[in-house]
Amino acid sequence: RRILVVSETREGKIHDYRMFKESEIPRGIPDSIVSWLDNGFQGVETDFPNLTVRMPKRKPKGKSLSEIEKANNTSISRRRILSEHAIGAIKRLRAVADIYRNMRENLEDELIITACGLWNYHLSEA
């Protein structure tokens, strides 16, 4: 649940996977670490074969998933929800989630780091 890595902030129109590919983050993840990703990261296994990835299996068009695949997807979702809750908690600092109009350069990065620090502090004190 703790925030350990923060990438630079980018405009909301840029897809998460594109930002991931352009960053140094995937190259710094050791093979022993499992990356729990959502379906927005389709193609990560071919782009980064060294990563250990767990993603939900998509339902084939016109077919259905087996009970084992559904159970596996549920298991993955239960792990990932912790990350989603942490992201939501960071956005409680409204300056992170809302449009922030300030002329100071790199203030967005400082805001997200502050919000992540507050969340991590909350976890340590709760």
Side-chain angles (χ1 to χ4, degrees):
R1 294 179 357 178
R2 292 178 51 93
I3 306 299
L4 303 176
V5 177
V6 178
S7 64
E8 70 178 60
T9 56
R10 304 269 301 265
E11 186 178 352
K13 295 177 184 176
I14 299 171
H15 194 276
D16 291 343
Y17 184 47
R18 179 176 160 200
M19 288 184 354
F20 182 76
K21 287 195 301 189
E22 293 173 356
S23 74
E24 293 297 317
I25 293 172
R27 290 152 196 84
I29 301 174
D31 296 343
S32 60
I33 301 294
V34 176
S35 300
W36 299 86
L37 303 173
D38 62 21
N39 282 332
F41 288 80
Q42 294 292 322
V44 73
E45 292 162 321
T46 53
D47 291 342
F48 302 99
N50 62 317
L51 289 181
T52 306
V53 176
R54 298 290 180 264
M55 294 175 62
K57 183 165 174 51
R58 295 183 78 172
K59 183 180 88 60
K61 194 171 189 175
K63 299 180 182 176
S64 61
L65 294 174
S66 70
E67 292 303 316
I68 294 171
E69 291 169 329
K70 288 179 185 178
N72 189 37
N73 284 357
T74 300
S75 173
I76 292 170
S77 295
R78 285 185 176 150
R79 297 283 302 257
R80 285 202 65 260
I81 195 67
L82 300 173
S83 299
E84 297 299 333
H85 285 169
I87 292 167
I90 291 166
K91 291 180 179 181
R92 284 186 200 140
L93 181 62
R94 295 292 303 260
V96 173
D98 293 346
I99 295 174
Y100 188 73
R101 294 175 173 89
N102 195 308
M103 297 302 199
R104 201 169 115 208
E105 195 170 324
N106 296 326
L107 187 62
E108 303 90 2
D109 292 331
E110 292 176 20
L111 274 172
I112 195 74
I113 289 169
T114 301
C116 291
L118 287 170
W119 172 245
N120 287 342
Y121 177 75
H122 166 74
L123 290 176
S124 68
E125 294 299 314

